[in-house]
Amino acid sequence: MNEMRYQLNLLKAMNQKLAAKERMYHMVCDASAEAFLYYSFEKNEVVTLGKWHDFFDFEVHDMKEAAKLFDAVDESCLLKLRDVLFLEKSGEASLTAECLMKDKKRWFRFCANVTYDALGRPEEKVICTSDITKFKNQNEELTYMAYYDGLTGLYNRNYFVRQLGEFVRTAKERNSVVSVLVIDIDDFRKINDGMGLVVGDELVQQFGSFLKELCSREVIVCHLSSDVYCMAIYEPMGDHSVEHIHKTIQKRTREPFCLSSGQELQITVSIGVAEFPEAASSALELMKCAEIVMFKGKSTGKNTIRYFNASILNEFLETVELENKLKEAVFKKNFVLYFQPQFYAGNQKLRGVEALVRWREEDGKMISPSVFIPIAEKNGAIIPIGNWVVEQSIRQYSAWRKQYGVSFIMSINISALQCARDDFVDSLLKTIRKYQVDPSDVELEITESILINDFDMVSDKLKQLHACGIKISLDDFGTGFSSLSYLKQLPIDTLKLDKSFTDTVLTDSATRVITESIINMVECLGFESIAEGVEDEQQYKYLHAIGCDVIQGYLCGKPQPPEELEKLFQKAFTA
Ligand code: C2E
Ligand code: CA
Ligand code: CA
């Protein structure tokens, strides 16, 4: 009897233990973010646990009913799901499948585990289901970001470089050619500045979509930056030859782009082309070469296509070298000022001198400003150089003024970038005060290019300086757009006729007509006229005869160092 009671108690205790265990398993399953389907082959019985009812709106009591899962997933994933649900047919122990659901939004991961007995017969199976939508979306976004450019949907730079690298590798093996085109929208900055970034972006997008249409197995395109695209063509020929693609681009750009605001925008593009193996042998070098050629084309006019050749590369490398040397020269202040005299055509008295900067290399060689000023204007070095010129020329003038007790004019060339600086007016006036110079002895030579970007800002500054007595001279007149209307709006005292007029005034009758009418106009406006580059007596006589006020050129004196000029002063001022 005792024995029976003991057995009963034991059974009870074991049952309680089992129930506790089952409760625990249920709790664990319910707490997990997954849904479970348990199947016992022996009992042909299905139990669903965990988040089953959150994921699915049907019950499953046996494996036949589990087939309802096929209705829940997208058609594209049916086979994957079948392999997981009936994993025992393959004899494998586990398998996972990621399936898109019927709503085409959610993604579920199904993971099956099967146990087998000693004879290889399946005993139990668990299918664990989790919602991986969030993870999938993030992953897709990451994949997208790794390969594509968000704005245009074209390849991004990194992926493009990789793909171009593949093209080059194959071309090396097969002795074939790869063309790389850098395509840049002309005047994009004007569009961005004038119409706003949103318009700029939409244009970049639309042109990008057009380029995408040209893509194929042999043609790939990426959005490099802002308004620059890069295309690579494997074995260019026929429909995907550079010429054909160029024609297609030109045909498209002849039509306007219609923006969502209703505006229509017409563009032109500049293209640089570099080819493997001729130009370079790596993806990045090819892209660089195509870019250099594109910039070269742009500098001589827009709407162009330029092909790489070695001389363009050499020229570029020389410019880069010069640019680096120029930076060092700015640091070491390796510049000197030369001065070129200007004389009144009538009485041949000295009117003044123009300060012309020279770069003195370590070995004493002088580099002409026409070589380095354009570079300095591009890389910003003109600011420290220009400041130095202003300081040195005014300091030198002040010393001469004291030494000889005579006033004349010190002309200083000013670049657009210098004039655009906020502190331009203040710092110039400060220097003039510092050296106790009369502002009316200082003349600024500006060119029309100074007026292009912000006419009002420049004219305001010039008016302020003019009000203080400083003279303003318009340099190289006749080479730009030479509009008379703005001449009247600016406080101009002097107009310098470009050297090209002096050069041909005796030989070309058309030049004579223009020169005479400019001199007349200058007189009517009350400005002073200066002829530049006068090299011989006849030129001087003619210019004097037609009423030109001042003469500057090799005939009366080359640009020279201060010591040389002082000899001239000795004669002019002490006689
Ligand atoms: P620019 O202002 O038109 O200066 C006149 C140029 O013509 C000078 O060249 C001068 O040496 C040259 N020249 C003068 N008379 C004759 C002549 O009879 N025959 C010939 N063949 N040439 C003559 P340079 O000194 O080489 O200067 C070139 C340009 O560099 C200048 O043209 C000016 O635009 C720029 N530049 C020079 N110094 C400065 C400066 O300090 N600041 C800025 N921003 N630009 C400067
Ligand atoms: Ca000048
Ligand atoms: Ca000039």
Side-chain angles (χ1 to χ4, degrees), residues 340 354 356-358 368-370 373 382 389 413 415 475-476 499 532-535 553-554 559:
Q340 185 174 33
E354 177 180 359
L356 293 157
V357 67
R358 266 97 188 96
S368 157
S370 26
I373 294 280
I382 191 65
V389 169
N413 291 286
S415 287
D475 205 355
D476 303 341
K499 181 175 174 298
E532 286 190 293
V534 181
E535 293 181 351
Y554 291 175

Side-chain angles (χ1 to χ4, degrees), residues 95 144 324 336 347 464 571:
L95 183 69
Y144 190 84
N324 289 333
V336 287
N347 60 14
Q464 280 180 55
K571 270 196 238 155

Side-chain angles (χ1 to χ4, degrees), residues 388-452:
W388 182 87
V389 169
V390 167
E391 171 98 15
Q392 291 304 307
S393 52
I394 292 177
R395 190 186 58 78
Q396 178 65 77
Y397 176 72
S398 172
W400 280 334
R401 172 81 190 72
K402 280 183 195 136
Q403 190 178 342
Y404 298 104
V406 184
S407 305
F408 54 96
I409 289 170
M410 173 59 74
S411 285
I412 308 167
N413 291 286
I414 300 291
S415 287
L417 220 57
Q418 259 176 293
C419 185
R421 298 276 291 196
D422 286 342
D423 62 353
F424 174 64
V425 171
D426 286 345
S427 96
L428 180 66
L429 292 175
K430 212 167 123 192
T431 311
I432 289 176
R433 274 197 299 272
K434 176 173 159 192
Y435 292 104
Q436 297 166 320
V437 162
D438 181 350
S440 62
D441 294 344
V442 176
E443 181 174 65
L444 304 184
E445 291 197 11
I446 59 160
T447 57
E448 285 163 314
S449 63
I450 218 172
L451 304 162
I452 285 173

Side-chain angles (χ1 to χ4, degrees), residues 57-314:
D57 55 3
F58 52 85
E59 297 282 347
V60 177
H61 302 101
D62 56 41
M63 276 317 279
K64 268 192 207 133
E65 280 183 337
K68 286 180 187 164
L69 280 170
F70 290 120
D71 295 333
V73 303
D74 185 66
E75 228 173 295
S76 59
C77 299
L78 286 176
L79 291 180
K80 279 198 278 186
L81 181 66
R82 189 199 59 189
D83 291 346
V84 170
L85 282 190
F86 302 105
L87 176 64
E88 66 281 3
K89 295 213 172 357
S90 69
E92 299 289 330
S94 72
L95 183 69
T96 300
E98 291 178 352
C99 298
L100 178 64
M101 304 311 283
K102 202 145 222 158
D103 59 13
K104 293 208 190 283
K105 283 189 194 127
R106 287 173 312 154
W107 280 87
F108 283 3
R109 178 188 287 133
F110 296 96
C111 178
N113 281 290
V114 177
T115 54
Y116 299 91
D117 65 13
L119 297 173
R121 285 174 307 203
E123 287 179 322
E124 290 169 310
K125 170 158 78 179
V126 176
I127 292 163
C128 165
T129 309
S130 43
D131 186 340
I132 54 162
T133 313
K134 220 163 142 186
F135 166 80
K136 261 294 198 208
N137 287 347
Q138 273 171 355
N139 238 7
E140 258 169 35
E141 209 169 298
L142 281 177
T143 314
Y144 190 84
M145 274 160 47
Y147 299 121
Y148 296 94
D149 161 65
L151 181 63
T152 59
L154 294 170
Y155 286 152
N156 64 25
R157 184 198 168 87
N158 284 348
Y159 190 61
F160 178 84
V161 172
R162 258 165 59 189
Q163 295 297 98
L164 174 56
E166 285 300 316
F167 275 9
V168 171
R169 235 185 316 285
T170 319
K172 266 181 200 160
E173 279 166 23
R174 301 188 189 163
N175 268 341
S176 47
V177 171
V178 179
S179 284
V180 175
L181 286 72
V182 166
I183 306 164
D184 180 295
I185 300 178
D186 293 329
D187 294 321
F188 184 71
R189 242 194 78 186
K190 275 193 202 152
I191 298 171
N192 245 352
D193 291 351
M195 304 174 83
L197 293 176
V198 176
V199 169
D201 276 359
E202 198 178 348
L203 180 69
V204 167
Q205 224 163 20
Q206 286 201 16
F207 188 65
S209 304
F210 158 71
L211 290 178
K212 204 171 184 174
E213 287 168 21
L214 307 178
C215 291
S216 62
R217 250 176 38 153
E218 296 89 2
V219 182
I220 54 171
V221 179
C222 81
H223 180 214
L224 263 190
S225 64
S226 165
D227 61 322
V228 192
Y229 307 83
C230 194
M231 178 183 275
I233 311 173
Y234 182 79
E235 196 81 285
M237 62 168 90
D239 264 5
H240 60 276
S241 66
V242 174
E243 291 72 23
H244 188 268
I245 284 185
H246 180 220
K247 271 194 195 131
T248 314
I249 294 175
Q250 280 195 314
K251 196 169 153 221
R252 175 64 192 88
T253 53
R254 271 196 287 272
E255 303 293 324
F257 286 86
C258 304
L259 306 175
S260 52
S261 59
Q263 286 163 300
E264 289 197 339
L265 209 64
Q266 196 152 6
I267 57 163
T268 56
V269 296
S270 295
I271 304 175
V273 188
E275 235 162 45
F276 169 85
E278 188 217 349
S281 56
S282 80
L284 286 174
E285 281 173 61
L286 283 165
M287 288 164 72
K288 190 78 218 159
C289 287
E291 195 182 16
I292 293 167
V293 184
M294 186 275 292
F295 279 125
K296 178 76 190 164
K298 241 191 215 292
S299 67
T300 53
K302 305 194 166 136
N303 198 11
T304 56
I305 182 160
R306 271 274 189 140
Y307 293 84
F308 174 88
N309 65 49
S311 69
I312 293 183
L313 185 65
N314 288 337

